[in-house]
Amino acid sequence: MAETEAALRTLAHNVRAARTRAGLSLDELGRRAKVSKGALVGLEKAQGNPNFATLVRLADTLGVSVSALMEGPAEGRVRVVSADAVMPLWAGEKGGEARLVLTTSGPAPVEVWRWRLEPGEEYPSHPHQSGVVETVSVTAGQMVLVVDGTEHAVEAGQTATFDGDTPHTYRGSGSGTCHLLMTVHIPPGPGSPA
């Protein structure tokens, strides 16, 4: 329980700091991210339990990565993270999950995700901010990547990339579990050197 409270405090601090850097009021951030002002007030007070979609909308609106909202201060030059050491940010109805393993630092961060999708299980994602590029590398099994309504089969040993500023969905296919690594390449935020 103490870990959850500490994570909420870190999230609250990071959201408030990013909102302040962006020069946004609670009302304006809520309007742009489509999150109620009450939910934002609670979040900045380290109360509540925001879902994954809310975190993505806030990160996109603030021009930062999801993990930038969740991570504490950097611990050193090298980080080694076990996928099992991070909590899933999405859990599917059939047992699938998505874990944000880490985000690189710098003006154009890259998020590294581990996904598991069961056959027929899917995660629909809203469009991200302009300039976001995603890649999916299937390490086992099969999936269908749907980008702007068009389906693309991706199987073990294959990698696909696409602009993330359009609706997209990840769907497990075939007869077994699909394991994949996903990277989200985030463009430099406002005020970052190009």
Side-chain angles (χ1 to χ4, degrees):
M1 191 64 149
E3 249 180 54
T4 301
E5 290 172 7
L8 278 173
R9 284 193 303 274
T10 298
L11 178 62
H13 174 268
N14 291 344
V15 168
R16 187 171 38 256
R19 180 177 63 78
T20 301
R21 276 193 310 275
L24 297 175
S25 67
L26 284 167
D27 288 325
E28 185 62 14
L29 176 57
R31 186 186 67 73
R32 290 184 186 184
K34 298 181 177 130
V35 176
S36 74
K37 181 179 178 181
L40 287 173
V41 168
L43 181 60
E44 288 194 4
K45 290 183 176 182
Q47 300 167 346
N49 186 17
N51 65 30
F52 178 52
T54 298
L55 292 176
V56 171
R57 285 194 310 272
L58 286 171
D60 282 348
T61 302
L62 293 166
V64 300
S65 66
V66 172
S67 62
L69 296 179
M70 300 175 59
E71 290 181 343
E75 295 177 14
R77 292 180 61 148
V78 176
R79 287 184 292 162
V80 177
V81 180
S82 168
D84 295 338
V86 292
M87 297 290 293
L89 289 178
W90 172 79
E93 294 178 0
K94 298 180 179 182
E97 64 181 25
R99 295 173 188 254
L100 176 57
V101 179
L102 64 83
T103 301
T104 62
S105 58
V110 176
E111 297 177 346
V112 179
W113 293 78
R114 284 192 180 270
W115 284 75
R116 186 178 72 230
L117 294 167
E118 297 301 326
E121 188 170 53
E122 67 179 38
Y123 176 79
S125 179
H126 75 287
H128 300 296
Q129 65 181 328
S130 180
V132 169
V133 175
E134 292 193 22
T135 64
V136 290
S137 297
V138 176
T139 59
Q142 301 171 326
M143 72 171 291
V144 173
L145 172 65
V146 183
V147 178
D148 204 19
T150 302
E151 294 188 358
H152 307 271
V154 187
E155 57 188 52
Q158 293 183 322
T159 299
T161 187
F162 61 96
D163 293 335
D165 61 355
T166 187
H168 51 282
T169 299
Y170 317 109
R171 181 185 316 130
S173 63
S175 59
T177 303
C178 176
H179 293 271
L180 63 110
L181 294 173
M182 178 181 75
T183 58
V184 180
H185 302 260
I186 301 164
S192 296

